[in-house]
Amino acid sequence: MDIKRVKDYIYWLYYQYLLITCSYVLEPWEQSMFHTIIVTVFAMVVYTAYVFVPIHVRLAFEFFSQIFGGQPESTV
């Protein structure tokens, strides 16, 4: 791909983000605060998913394996 096309595509995605969030009407200091909050919330969601989703998947797998006749852990 051409570098200019990639750059234009990234600018277009950022413009779409500004339009969807309506943050293009904010003042610069308000935009920086808004972006900081969005990035913080996104980082917390990713961290929570990274930490807790594997635990819940393992517990669900153990639960359903016991229900559907899996071997108990004491015999394995």
Side-chain angles (χ1 to χ4, degrees):
M1 270 184 123
D2 188 21
I3 299 296
K4 184 177 182 333
R5 288 182 56 194
V6 171
K7 184 178 167 185
D8 289 341
Y9 182 68
I10 291 173
Y11 283 141
W12 179 79
L13 284 177
Y14 180 69
Y15 184 67
Q16 292 298 313
Y17 164 75
L18 291 177
L19 288 175
I20 290 171
T21 59
C22 296
S23 60
Y24 63 93
V25 296
L26 300 174
E27 293 182 14
W29 70 272
E30 293 172 329
Q31 276 187 353
S32 65
M33 292 295 292
F34 180 75
H35 296 316
T36 302
I37 292 169
I38 293 294
V39 167
T40 303
V41 168
F42 182 73
M44 288 190 300
V45 167
V46 167
Y47 175 76
T48 302
Y50 176 74
V51 170
F52 293 112
V53 168
I55 295 169
H56 290 292
V57 168
R58 182 182 55 84
L59 290 174
F61 178 72
E62 289 176 6
F63 175 75
F64 286 116
S65 66
Q66 288 177 358
I67 288 178
F68 295 118
Q71 293 181 354
E73 288 186 21
S74 60
T75 60
V76 174

